[in-house]
Amino acid sequence: MVGQAAASTSLPVAITSGEPAGIGPELVLMLAAYNQLPSNCVVIADLHLLEARAEALGLAVTLMTCQPGDPVPEGDRVLAVWHCALRAPCQPGVLDAANASYVIDTLQLAVDACRNGHAAAMTTAPLHKGVIIDGGFTGFTGHTEWLRDACGKEEVVMLLATDDALHARASDWQGHNHSLRVALVTTHLPLRDVADAISAERISRVSRILAADLARQFGIAAPRIAVCGLNPHAGEDGHLGREELDIIIPTLAALREEGLDVRGPFPADTLFTPRHLAEVDAVLAMYHDQGLAVLKYAGFGNAANITLGLPMVRTSVDHGTALDLAGQGTASPDSLKVAIRLARQLADTQSASRHASSSF
């Protein structure tokens, strides 16, 4: 339903609702209906899609439309909406490539709002890569890479963090291996392509971005980073692969000469233990499943994806579109809640850091 509410004049977190046939739209609605939506948020979605999904699920939510730059309505069970029109009718669980451009438009609106000073940060609900590609965006490989290109960046870094690791120091992790920050050298690549993508240049760029944003967004003045090897046993002195000897070890040595505290490479099968995690602030994995399988086991549903190296704060959920659950109201909104809250906290930390720097 549509109603009236008080408005916030501070910058909101802009939430993209993701694949319209997936669980993204209803997760935002559920948070609003349960009064669990963090304050000062706005969702970018088709208003009529939200109305239909709320009615179908019996969610009592007041939908309030506004425009970027306007005060954001807030109140009991209120959801502020920046309307973006669907390209085709949508049914829960049924993908339609015609709506691929709708999903891209929601992302572009969020990026523009952040860069134009109309949003403090952006949080993204899950999208479906396959339907985006089928819709004509043939080079699309994921949120992270699209945001990199949209912002004109050569490199960005995918970091996943559990909720309790946001401001934790490594000394707080002893005995708590559920607290993790894991960044990736490569992201959405077929496994057979990973080794060819591991280069000194890429490791160096990713390590520098990771160290800089651990300081800028997480407030860690001198971040300590443990780096995984690519091969089993970190190559076992070249007997199980030479990437460590030829690329990773000399690159880390050069980065240490620059002043970065990068350690390793360590065998990935033993690095993710409390004894090792207690000595570092983040882990840098060579490829997607090497790091994220461990993190999602430790904190699935209580973690968020953060893109480092962008000119804005961006967080996302740690799960996919869950088409089989769409329209049922049974999916958990916990990860989205974590991602929104982290976006706000990271934006506040970054703002405080800029203010402190400008005061000198």
Side-chain angles (χ1 to χ4, degrees):
M1 62 180 174
V2 178
Q4 295 182 344
S8 172
T9 56
S10 59
L11 295 180
V13 173
I15 307 164
T16 60
S17 54
E19 166 54 48
I23 60 173
E26 64 200 69
L27 294 183
V28 186
L29 289 165
M30 290 164 70
L31 288 177
Y34 304 155
N35 275 328
Q36 294 182 3
L37 188 68
S39 62
N40 199 12
C41 297
V42 60
V43 63
I44 304 173
D46 185 289
L47 175 65
H48 308 297
L49 166 69
L50 295 176
E51 288 175 334
R53 196 70 62 90
E55 181 178 0
L57 296 175
L59 297 173
V61 180
T62 299
L63 301 173
M64 300 285 296
T65 59
C66 55
Q67 298 294 324
D70 292 345
V72 174
E74 293 189 289
D76 190 48
R77 296 183 177 87
V78 167
L79 181 59
V81 181
W82 288 346
H83 173 67
C84 185
L86 282 170
R87 301 297 187 271
C90 177
Q91 298 180 37
V94 181
L95 294 171
D96 189 336
N99 280 321
S101 58
Y102 159 80
V103 176
I104 296 298
D105 283 352
T106 65
L107 290 174
Q108 190 64 60
L109 180 54
V111 168
D112 292 344
C114 289
R115 302 195 76 175
N116 294 335
H118 295 149
M122 61 182 289
T123 295
T124 56
L127 52 71
H128 192 285
K129 298 181 186 67
V131 79
I132 300 293
I133 295 169
D134 291 343
F137 298 87
T138 54
F140 188 87
T141 56
H143 270 123
T144 302
E145 297 81 8
W146 186 90
L147 288 165
R148 175 197 64 201
D149 296 342
C151 294
K153 294 295 183 179
E154 181 180 11
E155 191 81 70
V156 294
V157 176
M158 180 186 290
L159 172 76
L160 267 80
T162 54
D163 189 21
D164 47 6
L166 177 63
H167 293 303
R169 289 293 304 185
S171 59
D172 299 327
W173 294 12
Q174 186 65 47
H176 298 282
N177 61 354
H178 56 283
S179 298
L180 285 170
R181 300 184 191 97
V182 179
L184 305 177
V185 174
T186 64
T187 53
H188 300 119
L189 288 178
L191 191 55
R192 68 172 60 249
D193 296 338
V194 168
D196 290 339
I198 300 299
S199 66
E201 292 77 16
R202 176 172 284 197
I203 294 172
S204 297
R205 290 197 303 266
V206 168
S207 297
R208 293 182 189 116
I209 292 170
L210 175 58
D213 272 6
L214 284 172
R216 183 170 63 102
Q217 294 191 18
F218 286 82
I220 302 172
R224 299 162 292 180
I225 301 166
V227 181
C228 295
L230 173 66
N231 297 295
H233 302 180
E236 190 121 352
D237 296 323
H239 295 290
L240 296 177
R242 293 198 55 86
E243 285 83 4
E244 286 78 11
L245 292 177
D246 295 344
I247 300 171
I248 302 173
I249 290 173
T251 301
L252 297 186
L255 289 169
R256 286 191 287 269
E257 288 292 320
E258 295 180 15
L260 273 68
D261 189 346
V262 287
R263 308 174 185 190
F266 299 105
D269 63 345
T270 56
L271 176 55
F272 292 97
T273 57
R275 179 172 68 87
H276 293 296
L277 295 179
E279 299 175 354
V280 296
D281 299 297
V283 173
L284 180 59
M286 289 292 130
Y287 58 93
H288 189 279
D289 287 11
Q290 183 185 56
L292 299 194
V294 178
L295 183 135
K296 291 189 179 185
Y297 171 77
F300 189 71
N302 192 39
N305 179 349
I306 303 147
T307 306
L308 307 180
L310 293 173
M312 78 282 290
V313 170
R314 179 260 173 164
T315 67
S316 188
V317 295
D318 64 357
H319 57 75
T321 54
L323 293 170
D324 57 326
L325 300 179
Q328 300 178 34
T330 57
S332 171
D334 288 349
S335 181
L336 181 60
K337 182 179 178 180
V338 169
I340 298 167
R341 187 169 66 246
L342 295 192
R344 172 62 63 192
Q345 293 175 347
L346 292 172
D348 289 347
T349 300
Q350 183 171 299
S351 177
S353 176
R354 284 197 300 264
H355 179 75
S357 299
S358 64
S359 65
F360 285 100

